[in-house]
């Protein structure tokens, strides 16, 4: 088991605490020192796992995109209004969990070429998913 996936490990604690702090205080208002202090670890311990705050943001974006894609691909498309409400509530739960990403997405993307690459890959995947969903919907209504 890698240090990244070990339950209760410092890496995951940094990721989870960063998400909490970014959502509560805004990503721009939280430094790596704030995160380390919140966790009761030294900044050096944090830097052992992440070279800088942008690396944490990239990992959080990867988690967000994986969670959203998993939800979209594993959840049946709704065929009535009641199911659509439930379906959209699931989408919004994921968006809310990572809400800091949307407060100033352009600044985040301009700061990190790695994040920009991840974002571009995600949006291309979303477009592919949308096209597949449209084909499925047309197939469903023909039958």
């Amino acid at each position: 088991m890698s240090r990244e996936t070990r339950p209760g490990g410092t890496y995951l604690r940094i990721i989870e605490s960063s998400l909490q702090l970014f959502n509560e205080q805004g990503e721009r208002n939280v430094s790596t020192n704030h995160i380390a202090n919140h966790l009761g670890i030294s900044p050096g311990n944090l830097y052992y796992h992440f070279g800088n705050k942008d690396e944490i943001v990239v990992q959080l974006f990867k988690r967000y995109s994986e969670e959203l894609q998993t939800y979209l691909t594993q959840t049946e498309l709704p065929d009535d209004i009641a199911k659509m409400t439930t379906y959209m509530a699931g989408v919004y739960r994921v968006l809310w969990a990572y809400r800091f990403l949307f407060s100033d997405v352009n600044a985040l993307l301009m700061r990190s070429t790695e994040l920009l690459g991840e974002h571009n890959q995600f949006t291309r995947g979303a477009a592919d998913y949308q096209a597949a969903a449209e084909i499925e919907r047309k197939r469903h209504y023909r039958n």
Side-chain angles (χ1 to χ4, degrees):
M1 186 176 297
S2 74
R3 71 176 187 230
E4 288 84 10
T5 59
R6 189 174 53 235
T10 303
Y11 180 93
L12 284 178
R13 289 179 52 229
I14 292 169
I15 290 289
E16 290 164 1
S17 290
S18 297
L19 179 60
Q20 176 190 353
L21 292 171
F22 292 164
N23 281 336
E24 289 175 356
Q25 299 175 24
E27 178 270 337
R28 285 184 173 195
N29 300 320
V30 177
S31 69
T32 52
N33 285 339
H34 289 116
I35 298 165
N37 186 49
H38 180 79
L39 288 166
I41 63 174
S42 71
N45 194 351
L46 185 142
Y47 287 120
Y48 171 78
H49 296 281
F50 298 96
N52 56 46
K53 185 170 76 167
D54 287 343
E55 287 183 17
I56 298 170
V57 171
V58 168
Q59 292 308 309
L60 287 168
F61 182 84
K62 287 179 179 181
R63 281 180 55 170
Y64 155 73
S65 61
E66 288 172 16
E67 284 182 37
L68 186 58
Q69 296 230 4
T70 298
Y71 178 80
L72 293 174
T73 56
Q74 294 182 358
T75 304
E76 185 178 337
L77 289 174
D79 57 6
D80 64 37
I81 296 298
K83 290 178 185 174
M84 177 62 78
T85 301
T86 302
Y87 180 83
M88 291 308 297
V91 170
Y92 289 128
R93 270 192 295 279
V94 176
L95 295 174
W96 182 253
Y98 295 90
R99 61 193 171 275
F100 84 91
L101 288 169
F102 309 105
S103 64
D104 197 359
V105 69
N106 290 332
L108 290 173
L109 294 174
M110 287 174 46
R111 241 180 31 217
S112 170
T113 56
E114 184 179 4
L115 181 60
L116 179 61
E118 290 292 330
H119 182 268
N120 289 342
Q121 182 178 342
F122 173 74
T123 54
R124 278 192 299 275
D128 293 343
Y129 169 79
Q130 223 173 7
E134 181 66 20
I135 291 168
E136 180 62 29
R137 194 182 71 198
K138 286 179 181 177
R139 183 178 307 136
H140 175 76
Y141 286 117
R142 266 189 258 147
N143 294 331

